[in-house]
């Protein structure tokens, strides 16, 4: 059982409120990921001289080159189509082969190899 019986319902209200807030912030994080990627890409392609992007991203955004690149890749590959997903899931999906349709992948059920658990993402 997820919740122990504490003899009162008072404990559930704060936990449920926190759960709702956490899930809301996770959605905002997913949306922010694309906005960050979009802006990083714009600066990289339009505003800086060749070779200056890595230094700018490190000094002004506190992103190493790999992190900045992952944000840009997430934006390029998924756009806003997956903004309802948690940021970690979006970054995980970057490793999918290019031949995999991202939207279709999200909508399908998947079996986790280690335990044969069937999972489907539902926002």
């Amino acid at each position: 059982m997820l919740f122990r019986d504490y003899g009162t319902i008072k404990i559930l209200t704060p936990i449920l409120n926190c759960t709702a807030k956490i899930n809301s912030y996770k959605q905002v994080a997913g949306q922010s990921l694309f906005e960050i990627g979009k802006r990083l890409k714009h600066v990289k392609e339009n505003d800086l001289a060749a070779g200056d992007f890595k230094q700018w991203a490190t000094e002004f955004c506190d992103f190493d080159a790999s992190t900045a690149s992952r944000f840009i890749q997430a934006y390029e590959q998924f756009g806003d189509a997956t903004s309802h997903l948690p940021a970690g899931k979006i970054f995980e999906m970057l490793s999918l082969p290019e031949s995999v349709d991202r939207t279709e992948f999200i909508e399908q059920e998947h079996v986790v190899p280690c335990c044969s658990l069937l999972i489907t993402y539902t926002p």
Side-chain angles (χ1 to χ4, degrees):
M1 185 167 155
L2 182 59
F3 298 104
R4 292 187 176 92
D5 183 4
Y6 291 101
T8 178
I9 196 72
K10 291 179 184 176
I11 190 106
L12 285 180
T13 301
I15 290 172
L16 294 175
N17 286 340
C18 284
T19 302
K21 287 180 181 178
I22 288 168
N23 287 326
S24 175
Y25 288 128
K26 283 172 40 181
Q27 183 173 359
V28 170
Q31 293 166 345
S32 297
L33 186 149
F34 297 112
E35 291 301 322
I36 291 168
K38 180 180 180 178
R39 284 159 178 74
L40 286 169
K41 180 179 173 143
H42 177 82
V43 168
K44 182 177 184 178
E45 293 178 351
N46 299 294
D47 298 332
L48 293 174
D52 290 344
F53 177 74
K54 289 179 185 178
Q55 181 179 352
W56 171 81
T58 301
E59 290 181 17
F60 293 95
C61 299
D62 199 26
F63 292 139
D64 61 26
S66 174
T67 301
S69 176
R70 289 177 56 176
F71 276 101
I72 293 170
Q73 285 178 320
Y75 169 70
E76 290 174 337
Q77 288 187 29
F78 307 115
D80 293 327
T82 55
S83 63
H84 59 279
L85 293 175
K89 297 293 180 199
I90 295 166
F91 282 135
E92 287 175 25
M93 289 184 355
L94 288 175
S95 64
L96 292 171
E98 288 184 26
S99 60
V100 174
D101 181 286
R102 272 53 175 169
T103 304
E104 185 177 310
F105 181 85
I106 293 167
E107 293 170 355
Q108 293 176 346
E109 293 181 337
H110 301 278
V111 177
V112 179
C114 67
C115 56
S116 299
L117 179 68
L118 182 65
I119 59 169
T120 304
Y121 179 77
T122 52

